[in-house]
Each structure stands twice: as C-alpha cells, then as structure tokens.
C-alpha cells in the first residue's frame, strides 16, 4: 500500500473512532450488555465461556499493535524506534499482558458472555491496536517524542500511567477476592445460572465510587496520552477531528463507552443491596 493510501485510511479510522463512541455510548443506557452481572441466564450456542472469550477478545489489541509497529504504514523508511517510543510501546504491552493474560488466568471464575459482546470487543481492539501502533511509528509521534526524555510532562504522564495501572490492579484484586471467597463457600451459582456471586466491594477508592477500576484505567490512559501525543485542538470540532491522535482517542472512547456501564452497574448495586453506601458515587469521586 502506498503511503498516501495509508494516510487516508489512518485519518478515516481516526475520524470514525472519534465519532462512534459518543453515539454508541448513550445507546448502552437503553440496553443491558449481556456479560458480567447482566450475563445471559440461559444456555445456548451464542453464550460463550467468560474467561476464554475475554482472553481471545483482549489479545487482539496487542497482536495488531505489534504487527503495526513492524509494518509502520505511515513511514517510507523503517528506522529504529527512539527510546520514548520503545517505552510507550512497552507500557501498552504491559497493560495488555495483565489485561489479556495475567488477570483472566488469575480469575477464579467469570460470568459467561454473549458472542455479540465478544465480537464488539474484537472490533474495538482491532481498530485500537492498529491505530496505536500506526501512530507510535508515525512522523507525528516521532517529531513529538523528540527530546521527550528531558520534558517533565513526559515523565508526569508516565507516572500517572503507572499510578492508574497499579490502582486498576489493586481494585480488581478486591473484586477477585470476593469471587474467591464465594467460590470457597460454594456460592457462585446461588443467584442465577451462569452468573457470579456479588457482594459490596470495600476498601481503597471503593469508599467513594462503585467503579474505581474504571476511574484508574482512565487515569492510566490519560497519563499515556499526555506522554505520547500532542493535545488536540478543541475548537472548532472539525479541528479536533483532524488533530486528535490515537492515544487521546483511546481515552475518549473509553470514557464514553464505560460511563454507561458504570452508571447501570451503580444502579444495580443500589437495587440489589439495600445497605449499599448511599454516599458512594458511580465512577468519579464526589461528582458522578
């Protein structure tokens, strides 16, 4: 493929990755995505194993990311990546090593998922992996990251990424411990077939919000975007579409797609646990 064709495809993919989440996100308020606490209760050919499907779905992103790093579709000459590019590539892969392999293999059990959820996840991860790998080897990234090691903003972003990554793992561990204790007591299927046992998570940021793992993941990718890409032009909107780069698009899409899930899950907790802390917010401490 000629570089001009690659640039056109890249720009079109960025544009749609910007436009689709604000449309699809609110739609999720009208439906219960069939996985997790909203997993299907009946067995059929479209309902798949939760852990295996999660691993397959999430591995798509690092695989396409690595493949795109090697092909570098926006460059005409394949030069060695700079140290900041290597660091950022490593952080992306570390995140998905945990998300796609370590975390699910440490999960004692997981609710089954509808195949539609898996296919949607594969589509998102395919697009995101390609966009992130393409950006990181692009002339825009190369120019922005020149001299990044001497910029405080680069290291501040890396520190924020690390804090969010650690917080994500910490709060996921709280949920895993609930599941481990339930399995040890034989409570896994006491509510509905194919669904996990749920209890009120407590400790750390769970004191303030129902979904600190989401909040920490946003912090993680905010830090990554700060370190990896120039801040987009916000006004007018047409300039935003033209200047927003994949690290910021990833954060943008995560917020729009995860807020409805957090809101509905937060309401579910209040509905199913009368003693659920009323002062606890959904996903942003003290605010939402």
């Amino acid at each position: 493929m000629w570089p001009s064709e690659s640039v056109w495809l890249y720009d079109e993919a960025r544009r749609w990755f910007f436009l689709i989440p604000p449309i699809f996100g609110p739609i999720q308020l009208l439906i219960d995505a069939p996985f997790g606490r909203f997993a299907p209760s009946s067995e059929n050919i479209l309902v798949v194993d939760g852990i295996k499907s999660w691993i397959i779905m999430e591995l798509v992103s690092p695989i396409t990311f690595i493949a795109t790093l090697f092909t570098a579709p926006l460059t005409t000459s394949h030069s060695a990546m700079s140290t900041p590019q290597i660091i950022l590539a490593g952080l992306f892969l570390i995140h998905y090593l945990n998300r796609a392999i370590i975390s699910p293999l440490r999960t004692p059990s997981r609710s089954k998922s509808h195949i539609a959820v898996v296919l949607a996840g594969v589509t998102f991860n395919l697009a995101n992996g390609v966009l992130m790998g393409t950006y990181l080897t692009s002339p825009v990234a190369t120019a922005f990251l020149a001299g990044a090691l001497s910029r405080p903003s680069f290291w501040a972003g890396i520190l924020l990424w690390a804090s969010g990554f650690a917080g994500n793992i910490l709060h996921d561990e709280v949920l895993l411990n609930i599941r481990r204790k339930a399995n040890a007591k034989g409570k896994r299927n006491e509510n509905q077939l194919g669904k996990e046992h749920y209890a009120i998570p407590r400790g750390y940021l769970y004191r303030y919000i129902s979904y600190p793992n989401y909040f920490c993941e946003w912090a993680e990718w905010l830090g990554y975007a700060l370190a990896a890409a120039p801040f987009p032009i916000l006004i007018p909107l047409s300039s935003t579409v033209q200047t927003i780069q994949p690290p910021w698009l990833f954060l943008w899409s995560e917020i729009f797609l995860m807020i409805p899930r957090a809101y509905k899950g937060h309401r579910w907790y209040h509905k199913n646990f009368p003693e659920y802390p009323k002062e606890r917010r959904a996903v942003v401490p003290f605010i939402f």
Side-chain angles (χ1 to χ4, degrees), residues 163-177:
S163 299
F165 180 70
N168 196 352
I169 293 175
L170 177 67
H171 293 98
D172 275 348
E173 191 66 22
V174 173
L175 300 179
L176 291 180
N177 282 334

Side-chain angles (χ1 to χ4, degrees), residues 122-142:
V122 166
T123 302
F124 177 88
N125 286 325
L126 177 65
N128 189 58
V130 170
L131 280 172
M132 293 288 278
T134 301
Y135 167 76
L136 205 55
T137 56
S138 70
V140 173
T142 301

Side-chain angles (χ1 to χ4, degrees), residues 17-67:
F17 219 63
F18 179 81
L19 295 174
I20 290 176
I23 298 172
F24 186 73
I27 294 176
Q28 293 185 91
L29 293 172
L30 305 176
I31 60 174
D32 292 331
F35 75 103
R37 59 181 50 80
F38 303 115
S41 297
S42 59
E43 296 281 351
N44 63 70
I45 195 172
L46 298 178
V47 177
V48 296
D49 181 86
I51 293 178
K52 293 177 182 177
S53 62
W54 179 271
I55 292 174
I56 293 171
M57 177 176 69
E58 294 299 328
L59 276 176
V60 170
S61 192
I63 290 173
T64 54
F65 176 77
I66 292 172

